[in-house]
Amino acid sequence: MKYRRNNGSQMPPEGWHYARIASVREGKQVTTQMGPSNTVLVTFVIEGEVPALVTQSFPMAPWANFLLERLIDVAMDTNEAVVDLNDLVYKRCGIKVEHREWKGKLYANVVDVCAVDELQEVDEDEEGDGFVPPTREIDLDELSFE
């Protein structure tokens, strides 16, 4: 049996990418500033010449799930009050990857998501002016934690 080694970096590059959700599974409980939260682990396959994988843990507590809510909005396009997160599998979206160091190791993190059609605007932009999909700004002073 032969195996062709990949001598290049297997870490996805930073920036915006087209991605497809490959799997969704239950993560471990984490402690946030507001208390404990269950998590969901979402694995994305970054599309491109050399596909790459990145898995991100999303808190599920109501006060800590902004990015998970955004992912559901852009990938599933539903207003249902309760969603089955397994329905995210095979959906496409745009993801923004940033590298962050934690405990001396470098990790790829999904820090933002957008709809696929927002990333398509980049492809049609001939000037390449550094398009960034819109992000949601949240005023933390106006949040209610009740």
Side-chain angles (χ1 to χ4, degrees), residues 65-130:
N65 65 1
F66 301 117
L67 194 52
L68 179 59
E69 285 284 343
R70 186 159 162 79
L71 178 62
I72 291 167
D73 287 344
V74 302
M76 294 177 67
D77 192 30
T78 182
N79 290 327
E80 297 292 323
V82 177
V83 296
D84 183 348
L85 293 178
N86 290 311
D87 291 344
L88 285 169
V89 176
Y90 303 121
K91 302 287 191 211
R92 290 184 74 217
C93 62
I95 61 172
K96 184 177 184 183
V97 173
E98 286 185 2
H99 296 167
R100 295 188 178 158
E101 187 176 334
W102 187 66
K103 293 187 178 183
K105 293 185 180 181
L106 192 63
Y107 294 91
N109 288 278
V110 175
V111 297
D112 202 358
V113 296
C114 71
V116 170
D117 59 348
E118 292 180 78
L119 279 184
Q120 288 173 340
E121 293 176 23
V122 174
D123 295 339
E124 296 167 3
D125 182 6
E126 295 175 11
E127 307 210 4
D129 61 359

Side-chain angles (χ1 to χ4, degrees), residues 7-67:
N7 293 327
S9 172
Q10 294 184 15
M11 183 172 295
E14 290 187 303
W16 285 97
H17 304 279
Y18 290 103
R20 186 172 302 277
I21 298 170
S23 70
V24 175
R25 63 188 191 278
E26 188 175 331
K28 62 182 181 180
Q29 191 176 68
V30 296
T31 302
T32 70
Q33 291 178 348
M34 297 296 294
S37 173
N38 291 328
T39 62
V40 60
L41 299 173
V42 179
T43 299
F44 298 90
V45 176
I46 295 176
E47 301 171 357
E49 245 179 75
V50 180
L53 292 176
V54 61
T55 299
Q56 185 64 45
S57 174
F58 294 92
M60 295 176 64
W63 61 83
N65 65 1
F66 301 117
L67 194 52

